[in-house]
Amino acid sequence: MIQFSHVINDPQGLHARPIASIAAALATASSAVELGLHGRTADARDLLGMLGLEARGGDELLVTVEGADEQQVAELLKTTLP
Amino acid sequence: MGLFDMFKKKADAAPAGPASVTAQEAADIVCAPVTGRVIKMTDVPDPVFSGEVVGKGCAIWPDDETVYSPVSGTVTVTMGHAVGITGDNGIEVLVHIGIDTVDMEGKGFTGYVSQGDKVKAGQPVIKMSKAAIAEAGHPDCVVCAVSNSASFADVALTVDAESTVSAGASVLKITK
């Protein structure tokens, strides 16, 4: 399991465009990915769940990746997360 | 309760939204969130939606400014210009008003629901100002995406593309 924190750069936070990019990036990955914020978590393949976190610019997400391709997925997420 | 309390209670009440519309709701149906001209998701002028990355569905070029819940369920997302509803029938729908309207930061949109609210199909959820969206330079098409499309065998239009529908009419049929 890999865990890292990511501060959201996009002032508009996790809105439709970035969550679509995240879900698309994970389409061919096998690892489970969870985003946590303010004690709540969302599966990174669950679009409404991610939007429901109401993450704004400057918020710090706790990202958890677990699975066979977790190394590649973690690297991919670091470039995909807004 | 004194006279003053009565006035106080009135002042605290949420602003009354528009009336609900009658929805053609069913276990496998998504209703039109707004009155207007239906287009295929693949014809939405934005690759995130036309590529069906957010989900399969459709969009409607609105003739009206009130947007209604397309399914009965629980509000899971409220963003000013968008609302997400997890249907009691298992269908998750994201209703996204306009393209790139996130940069309006909620201005020009009046929300009638909050995260966690139970809604009925045909209940008003957001009112948009078409003038404000035009002024911001954005298309105002209302995207109705089944965000958990991958859970279903198919999501198909129940009406012809380019036809006009009334809010609450059936527009999408889900095959489980």
Side-chain angles (χ1 to χ4, degrees):
Chain A
M1 185 182 84
I2 298 175
Q3 265 193 331
F4 61 94
S5 58
H6 174 88
V7 177
I8 298 174
N9 272 317
D10 185 335
Q12 288 152 351
L14 279 185
H15 60 98
R17 201 175 297 285
I19 59 133
S21 304
I22 295 166
L26 294 176
T28 56
S30 64
S31 290
V33 181
E34 198 177 72
L35 305 181
L37 178 69
H38 303 321
R40 292 196 295 171
T41 57
D43 187 308
R45 290 178 178 85
D46 173 3
L47 296 160
L48 288 193
M50 282 193 283
L51 288 175
L53 288 176
E54 300 184 323
R56 307 292 304 165
D59 281 347
E60 187 173 328
L61 295 173
L62 179 64
V63 185
T64 308
V65 188
E66 186 163 19
D69 57 358
E70 60 190 29
Q71 289 287 355
Q72 298 100 292
V73 171
E75 290 311 311
L76 180 64
L77 282 167
K78 284 171 188 169
T79 58
T80 310
L81 287 166
Chain B
M1 189 174 83
L3 191 62
F4 178 75
D5 294 328
M6 195 175 80
F7 282 119
K8 186 168 183 288
K9 194 176 176 188
K10 265 189 180 171
D12 286 347
S20 293
V21 293
T22 304
Q24 293 175 337
E25 120 171 86
D28 57 351
I29 292 297
V30 175
C31 302
V34 68
T35 297
R37 179 170 59 91
V38 178
I39 59 168
K40 294 176 190 167
M41 185 66 91
T42 49
D43 291 336
V44 174
D46 185 304
V48 163
F49 295 116
S50 63
E52 300 184 325
V53 185
V54 178
K56 294 181 180 175
C58 66
I60 298 174
W61 288 101
D63 289 335
D64 189 17
E65 296 196 322
T66 305
V67 175
Y68 303 87
S69 182
V71 291
S72 291
T74 306
V75 176
T76 45
V77 176
T78 51
M79 296 178 70
H81 66 291
V83 61
I85 295 147
T86 298
D88 297 332
N89 51 16
I91 305 172
E92 296 181 6
V93 188
L94 179 69
V95 179
H96 191 283
I97 304 171
I99 306 300
D100 283 325
T101 40
V102 66
D103 72 7
M104 295 169 71
E105 296 179 334
K107 292 185 193 74
F109 301 96
T110 307
Y112 302 118
V113 293
S114 307
Q115 207 175 43
D117 284 0
K118 288 275 181 194
V119 289
K120 299 293 287 178
Q123 182 179 332
V125 288
I126 300 177
K127 185 165 185 167
M128 69 176 117
S129 161
K130 283 168 67 80
I133 298 171
E135 199 175 314
H138 300 311
D140 63 7
C141 78
V142 178
V143 173
C144 182
V146 175
S147 57
N148 62 342
S149 291
S151 310
F152 303 117
D154 194 28
V155 176
L157 275 172
T158 60
V159 295
D160 290 334
E162 305 297 332
S163 62
T164 298
V165 292
S166 295
S170 152
V171 274
L172 297 173
K173 184 181 170 69
I174 275 70
T175 307
K176 295 191 180 179

